[in-house]
Amino acid sequence: MKYTSVRGMDDILPQHSSTWQEIESKAREIFSSYGYNEIRTPILEKTEVFSRGIGEGTDIVSKEMYTFQDRKGRSLTLRPEGTAPIVRSYIQNSLSQISLDMRLFYIGPMFRSERPQKGRSRQFHQIGSELIGPDSPYADAEIIIQMNKLLKEVGIQDFDMQINSLGCKKDKEMFSQKLKSYLKGKENGLCEDCSRRIDKNVLRVLDCKNDKCKEIVENAPDVSSCYCQECVSHFETMQKLLNKMEVKFRINKKLVRGLDYYTKTVFEVSHKGLGSQDAIGAGGRYNNLVKDLGGPDVGAVGYAIGMERMLLAVVKDMHKKNKKKISLISLGDKAKAQAFQLAEDIRDAFNIPVLCDLRDGSLKTQLRNADKQNVDLVLIIGENEIEKGIILVRDMNSKQQIEVPVDIILDDIKQRITEF
Ligand code: HAM
């Protein structure tokens, strides 16, 4: 094959796009019920938005970004995530003046140059939500409850929600120092990445998957030992709210996340069925990001779900809930004209997908085409049917076929689509 897509960047094919759309529309419904409005930021940003926002020492910034210089020598980056660009836009467009609490959601492609494998690609899509303004534990709870609802409503059942608190900026710094001191002298036992992380991104050592690193951090100091009183009460209130709303979660004191901007609450949702790339979505509070990028001193919390991983985890057959599809088959010019008109009438009457076979194929070929398109009902019109004033209606699931008079065909279809 001469031309193929870039490695790790896949097409979303027509046979899958309806599932994508269903998930997106379910998500949009949920966002709207919480009063979140969509924000669409450009796919390209100035590189500093990410290097400052996500942190120089993170894997994303240090080795996964698609960064290049434009014709004028400016450094630009394909967005690896949505939060930093949204904060950039929030500041640039003075969104805090529109509302003190800005509730935003986004859906779109992200780019990370990681080694592609199942559930991990170089272009992937995120659905995410950000609540910028409040520093209240109620905001954390709103975001986590919303994410929990979204996952459930698209049909994901057995997911595992882990939460932790990293403490505020001061607590987090104190804990990083404590962890560094603990790891001093143990560098040789750590994997290559972690021995580098001690200086640049020490918290990441805590959630390294390497067995040797896991053993070493087993007895590492506990992050909760560094919480100030306010962080203790923030974390407790949020847990109470989640319990009250029956959100299932467990606390993982070693959960730290791979982006530097988090303080206080962090959370991650995984699904056993996904293999090694089992994180469906994640998020947390990032109170200092707005200020660090030059904006007001406000709180913020949010999450992002990986669309491709969410699709892999959807166990319920969403197609069952799909609108029923009808195909019209005709034989001869007169029948084709009648079928073409009837297709339009059915669309207008019921707002369901109707396909009209426009090729002059044999009955067998047209039926085979309809079958390939997974239609539920086929309406067949030939010269014979025109003469008799009927239409042949074939139920593609039961394979039963009956003659229906033309003048009651819309009533017949109505009954069938409500019965399905
Ligand atoms: P993240 O954990 O880097 O967080 O990504 C969120 C989700 O995006 C992951 O849980 C995963 O499902 C998906 N994802 C990440 N990388 C890939 C990849 N290479 N291929 C496929 N899916 C991937 C963030 O991006 C934060 N901005 C989340 C957030 C929003 N925090 C606060 N607000």
Side-chain angles (χ1 to χ4, degrees), residues 28-40:
R28 282 174 195 279
E29 255 173 49
I30 293 171
F31 293 138
S32 150
S33 74
Y34 282 82
Y36 284 60
N37 288 311
E38 185 171 13
I39 181 161
R40 298 186 192 187

Side-chain angles (χ1 to χ4, degrees), residues 189-340:
L190 296 170
C191 74
E192 217 177 287
D193 275 344
C194 283
S195 55
R196 243 183 295 122
R197 281 173 182 147
I198 293 184
D199 289 324
K200 288 188 166 172
N201 202 357
V202 67
L203 296 188
R204 283 315 304 272
V205 179
L206 284 182
D207 69 358
C208 180
K209 304 272 186 290
N210 184 296
D211 285 339
K212 282 200 277 175
C213 302
K214 273 189 190 165
E215 212 177 288
I216 289 178
V217 299
E218 187 65 36
N219 299 315
D222 194 323
V223 61
S224 58
S225 63
C226 296
Y227 295 163
C228 63
Q229 197 43 49
E230 206 275 313
C231 285
V232 171
S233 111
H234 187 106
F235 198 35
E236 277 177 6
T237 308
M238 188 198 69
Q239 288 176 57
K240 273 188 199 145
L241 292 167
L242 297 184
N243 282 326
K244 214 165 172 204
M245 297 292 167
E246 295 180 355
V247 172
K248 280 196 200 137
F249 65 88
R250 62 189 173 96
I251 294 174
N252 173 359
K253 288 278 169 222
K254 300 228 156 44
L255 180 70
V256 292
R257 309 275 303 118
L259 301 93
D260 276 358
Y261 49 59
Y262 294 112
T263 50
K264 294 189 180 173
T265 311
V266 286
F267 52 93
E268 198 162 283
V269 173
S270 59
H271 190 284
K272 275 197 279 305
L274 292 185
S276 65
Q277 300 305 310
D278 64 353
I280 306 182
R285 182 162 276 289
Y286 49 95
N287 279 0
N288 301 295
L289 183 58
V290 183
K291 205 164 94 193
D292 283 353
L293 292 185
D297 188 4
V298 294
V301 57
Y303 67 87
I305 297 175
M307 277 288 276
E308 286 80 356
R309 293 190 195 171
M310 177 152 68
L311 281 164
L312 287 172
V314 171
V315 286
K316 254 192 207 158
D317 187 1
M318 296 188 67
H319 290 292
K320 281 196 188 128
K321 286 185 273 156
N322 256 350
K323 283 185 178 174
K324 296 300 157 193
K325 234 193 214 176
I326 295 184
S327 177
L328 275 100
I329 286 181
S330 58
L331 297 159
D333 284 348
K334 227 169 145 190
K336 193 187 239 177
Q338 188 181 332
F340 200 67

